[in-house]
């Protein structure tokens, strides 16, 4: 599921908005700065993200995110909401750093660019992250309905992920990038070097694309497996608090992303 981090980052670049969106549908192909591609398919209630890995994708529906993979012809479905809750100390704590971005200013440059056959205006954005650091980005914005629909799909995706991680303490909508885009009635064609739209369509998506190929696997055992890994962990690195001296308890460490992957593998007998 290497595409998961890229998916979260792409959505987080537009922050989180508590808007109600409706009536959008279509698809978009996005190319990241490293050359990797993702294809988004969406309706006003569901989003599917397809990565370069043909046998792995994510579906957001019914307020849940599901990670799907096909291994040796067998489908495997993980309820990401449940997995994120079980591993909240890993993903949940890291997510706010990229999601809590606030828009300080936005200024038109007078330049234009064309992406996916759509002409947009180039703007300069000043963004402040959760640590107070301010950086400047270029964004290409357009009122084209296809770009606006993709914006709404990203907002839906971001909101679903934030709620799954228990992140309801996000920035004021008025200070967010999507809040400004909503007021301008614009969508994004390019965001810095991180995200460029290479294809856009407003053609309806077959509803079967959002169906799950199998029932989600119960992830309730993930915590116990991680706990067992934790008890057998090596001594902590510098800066990590050890167990109190004389307590008789082994040193405890937060599980790593590799531990989570191993734990999920054990749940599936792999």
């Amino acid at each position: 599921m290497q595409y998961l981090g890229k998916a979260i980052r792409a959505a987080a670049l537009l922050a989180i908005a508590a808007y109600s969106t409706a009536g959008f549908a279509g698809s978009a192909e996005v190319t990241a700065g490293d050359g990797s591609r993702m294809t988004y398919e969406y309706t006003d209630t569901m989003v599917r993200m397809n990565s370069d890995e043909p046998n792995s994708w994510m579906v957001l529906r019914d307020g849940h995110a599901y990670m799907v993979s096909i291994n040796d012809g067998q489908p495997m479905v993980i309820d990401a909401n449940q997995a994120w809750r079980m591993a909240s100390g890993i993903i949940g704590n890291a997510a706010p750093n990229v999601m809590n971005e606030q828009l300080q200013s936005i200024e038109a440059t007078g330049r234009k660019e064309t992406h996916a056959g759509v002409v947009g205006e180039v703007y300069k954005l000043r963004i402040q992250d959760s640590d107070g650091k301010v950086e400047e980005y270029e964004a290409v914005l357009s009122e084209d309905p296809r770009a606006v629909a993709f914006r709404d799909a990203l907002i839906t995706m971001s909101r679903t992920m934030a709620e799954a991680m228990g992140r309801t303490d996000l920035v004021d909508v008025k200070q967010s990038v999507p809040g400004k885009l909503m007021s301008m009635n614009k969508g994004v064609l390019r965001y810095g070097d991180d995200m460029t739209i290479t294809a856009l369509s407003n053609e309806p998506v077959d509803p079967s694309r959002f169906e799950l190929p199998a029932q989600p696997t119960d992830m309730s055992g993930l915590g116990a497996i991680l706990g067992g890994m934790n008890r057998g962990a090596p001594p902590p690195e510098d800066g990590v608090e050890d167990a109190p001296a004389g307590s008789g308890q082994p040193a405890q460490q937060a599980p790593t992303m590799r531990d989570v992957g191993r734990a999920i593998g054990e749940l599936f007998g792999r």
Side-chain angles (χ1 to χ4, degrees):
M1 294 294 179
Q2 295 179 352
Y3 72 95
L4 178 57
K6 296 176 183 177
I8 293 176
R9 178 61 186 171
L13 285 172
L14 295 183
I16 306 299
Y19 281 102
S20 173
T21 56
F24 60 91
S27 60
E29 181 181 278
V30 177
T31 300
D34 61 2
S36 61
R37 295 181 300 173
M38 291 192 67
T39 301
Y40 295 76
E41 300 169 279
Y42 37 88
T43 71
D44 55 357
T45 58
M46 298 179 287
V47 181
R48 171 170 166 154
M49 293 165 284
N50 311 284
S51 71
D52 287 336
E53 304 172 30
N55 293 322
S56 297
W57 64 93
M58 178 181 284
V59 173
L60 291 94
R61 55 175 299 155
D62 308 320
H64 278 242
Y66 298 97
M67 295 181 287
V68 182
S69 64
I70 306 296
N71 297 286
D72 297 326
Q74 297 299 313
M76 178 174 70
V77 179
I78 296 174
D79 184 333
N81 290 44
Q82 187 182 27
W84 285 332
R85 284 195 300 269
M86 298 300 296
S88 60
I90 302 167
I91 300 177
N93 290 341
N97 290 332
V98 295
M99 288 184 175
N100 263 345
E101 297 178 333
Q102 299 189 45
L103 178 64
Q104 297 295 304
S105 65
I106 180 168
E107 178 184 354
T109 66
R111 295 187 288 117
K112 295 183 183 293
E113 288 183 8
T114 301
H115 299 280
V118 179
V119 178
E121 299 178 76
V122 181
Y123 287 80
K124 183 177 295 184
L125 282 63
R126 287 175 56 85
I127 306 292
Q128 179 177 305
D129 64 21
S130 59
D131 297 322
K133 182 180 178 180
V134 177
E135 295 188 17
E136 289 190 351
Y137 296 90
E138 275 195 353
V140 181
L141 309 181
S142 171
E143 295 181 357
D144 188 286
R146 293 167 295 177
V148 172
F150 180 54
R151 174 204 68 191
D152 291 348
L154 286 182
I155 291 172
T156 296
M157 184 179 73
S158 297
R159 186 192 304 115
T160 300
M161 289 182 172
E163 291 175 351
M165 295 175 187
R167 295 301 304 179
T168 57
D169 56 332
L170 296 169
V171 297
D172 185 341
V173 168
K174 296 179 181 178
Q175 298 294 326
S176 70
V177 175
K180 186 62 177 179
L181 295 183
M182 284 282 193
S183 68
M184 298 172 67
N185 191 36
K186 292 181 182 293
V188 175
L189 299 176
R190 177 175 69 82
Y191 192 99
D193 296 325
D194 297 285
M195 183 177 78
T196 301
I197 310 302
T198 51
L200 274 174
S201 171
N202 57 1
E203 291 296 318
V205 181
D206 187 334
S208 65
R209 296 287 290 170
F210 305 103
E211 294 178 359
L212 302 179
Q215 289 296 315
T217 295
D218 183 9
M219 302 294 292
S220 59
L222 180 62
I225 293 174
L226 286 172
M229 291 179 177
N230 193 18
R231 286 190 293 274
E237 299 176 358
D238 292 342
V240 179
E241 186 176 351
D242 202 344
S247 66
Q249 298 296 321
Q252 297 292 305
Q253 288 180 280
T256 66
M257 287 302 296
R258 179 175 296 179
D259 291 334
V260 175
R262 288 170 52 200
I264 291 175
E266 287 192 27
L267 283 177
F268 287 91
R270 299 172 183 174

